[in-house]
Amino acid sequence: MDYTNKLCSKCGKPFRPEDDVVVCPECGSPYHRACWEEAGGCINTALHQSGGSWQAQQDAQNQQRKECPRCHYQNLPDAAFCSGCGMPLQPTGTPESGEPQVEMAGVRIDPDQPLLGLNPEEDLGGVTVAEMGDFVGSNQLYYLSLFTAMKRTGKKISFNAMALLFPHIFFVNRKMWLWTLLSLMVQFVLGIPSALLLMGQMEGFSLIANLFHTNTTLFQLLVSGCSLLDLAFSVFMCLYANYLYRQHAIRKITRLRARNYPLPQYREAIKRAGGTCLPLAIAFVLIWIIMQFYSTGMM
């Protein structure tokens, strides 16, 4: 008989195909050999006294088990999450029709439930779903489902339109100060040749054109190369900004956890460290608009 994924009667852990399984000759209860030897025999005394069998008991339980719709693992009747893939399971007796559950980033969620119905203790790479929910604050619907999918699949790439167009605004809104500074510096440096070329074409700035030789083919190639690098940087941010945000959140939460705050203070500290900084993000947008009007006026 194949006992793969069946549970050891002593330790409760599922059997793997390579495990050495010992079966009680009286009731048929399976054990890891080490568990059998540690217990000194079968511990299912209730089955021995009633004359029952482990197989009959399993058959009765299987009639009530909940099958995972994703991986088809047979879970215990009271399981809230699949033991095979971690997907939230529908409560027994709850009709499937009319459920508010949806699937985002490959993760089935319930937008009407706290933390989208995800297991609050599920690991997202060193922090729990509950901790990440406190840190993210707004837009949990997007980020919790995305970060859960990243942890389960190992994928790092996702699409972030704001990071494609304005990476520094995305980073400042999510309080990622180092990445804000880095993205500003990269885009500033890569924009210098284009700015010099523009100034060299304006009246009164012939000194710029003569000093940097902006009319030469070499300088034109420099402008084109920097423009391509700027585009490549924007695409990279578009694809990896969400992953960078996830890693940023994990580092921040881990540092706060090491301070051993009482739980209420710990949760408040996470919320203060995370969330958004909308006023500063709006300020960055206004500065960008003013700069665009100014540069247009100069032309």
Side-chain angles (χ1 to χ4, degrees):
M1 178 177 178
D2 184 12
Y3 289 94
T4 302
N5 290 330
K6 304 296 184 182
L7 303 181
C8 174
S9 299
K10 183 178 185 298
C11 69
K13 296 180 180 180
F15 294 109
R16 295 172 298 181
E18 66 271 18
D19 285 340
D20 186 6
V21 180
V22 176
V23 178
C24 173
E26 184 174 347
C27 68
S29 298
Y31 298 84
H32 294 101
R33 181 169 294 278
C35 293
W36 173 270
E37 293 175 352
E38 182 181 344
C42 184
I43 61 174
N44 272 339
T45 55
L47 283 179
H48 296 177
Q49 293 172 356
S50 64
S53 71
W54 175 85
Q55 186 60 54
Q57 188 181 64
Q58 291 298 302
D59 291 342
Q61 290 180 354
N62 285 337
Q63 294 178 359
Q64 302 177 354
R65 286 182 181 266
K66 290 190 287 189
E67 180 178 324
C68 174
R70 176 189 290 166
C71 69
H72 306 292
Y73 184 89
Q74 296 296 324
N75 296 272
L76 294 175
D78 59 348
F81 296 86
C82 177
S83 298
C85 67
M87 177 179 176
L89 297 173
Q90 180 182 342
T92 303
T94 303
E96 294 186 4
S97 59
E99 280 193 355
Q101 291 189 343
V102 296
E103 186 168 310
M104 288 188 63
V107 177
R108 195 175 182 185
I109 59 175
D110 187 344
D112 296 332
Q113 295 296 321
L115 299 174
L116 312 182
L118 297 169
N119 180 3
E121 299 303 318
E122 181 175 349
D123 176 61
L124 293 183
V127 302
T128 64
V129 168
E131 290 172 322
M132 188 65 80
D134 284 339
F135 188 89
V136 168
S138 61
N139 209 1
Q140 288 187 7
L141 181 63
Y142 176 72
Y143 285 111
L144 284 185
S145 56
L146 178 62
F147 293 164
T148 300
M150 283 183 173
K151 176 59 173 63
R152 293 177 182 177
T153 64
K155 293 182 179 179
K156 300 178 181 180
I157 293 177
S158 61
F159 184 84
N160 188 316
M162 177 60 74
L164 174 65
L165 302 174
F166 311 106
H168 53 284
I169 295 177
F170 168 76
F171 290 134
V172 76
N173 186 48
R174 284 291 163 179
K175 301 181 181 180
M176 300 171 68
W177 313 125
L178 183 60
W179 281 102
T180 301
L181 180 61
L182 177 63
S183 61
L184 283 172
M185 290 178 59
V186 169
Q187 293 190 313
F188 173 77
V189 171
L190 293 177
I192 289 177
S194 295
L196 292 175
L197 178 63
L198 178 63
M199 293 177 65
Q201 295 171 346
M202 296 168 57
E203 294 184 7
F205 287 88
S206 58
L207 179 62
I208 296 292
N210 294 331
L211 184 61
F212 293 97
H213 306 288
T214 58
N215 295 324
T216 63
T217 303
L218 182 61
F219 194 87
Q220 298 288 339
L221 289 174
L222 176 63
V223 171
S224 299
C226 287
S227 297
L228 288 175
L229 288 175
D230 184 60
L231 176 61
F233 178 77
S234 297
V235 171
F236 178 85
M237 289 293 103
C238 170
L239 299 178
Y240 286 94
N242 290 327
Y243 174 75
L244 294 174
Y245 178 46
R246 172 177 174 260
Q247 297 306 106
H248 165 78
I250 292 173
R251 286 193 298 271
K252 284 285 188 179
I253 295 171
T254 302
R255 290 171 186 169
L256 290 172
R257 187 190 298 155
R259 298 181 182 180
N260 296 318
Y261 288 119
L263 182 58
Q265 296 180 20
Y266 174 57
R267 293 194 63 184
E268 287 302 317
I270 291 178
K271 291 176 182 178
R272 287 195 303 270
T276 58
C277 188
L278 188 58
L280 192 54
I282 293 175
F284 269 62
V285 172
L286 292 176
I287 292 172
W288 180 83
I289 293 174
I290 292 172
M291 291 178 63
Q292 293 300 308
F293 275 115
Y294 180 72
S295 62
T296 303
M298 290 182 62
M299 294 178 64

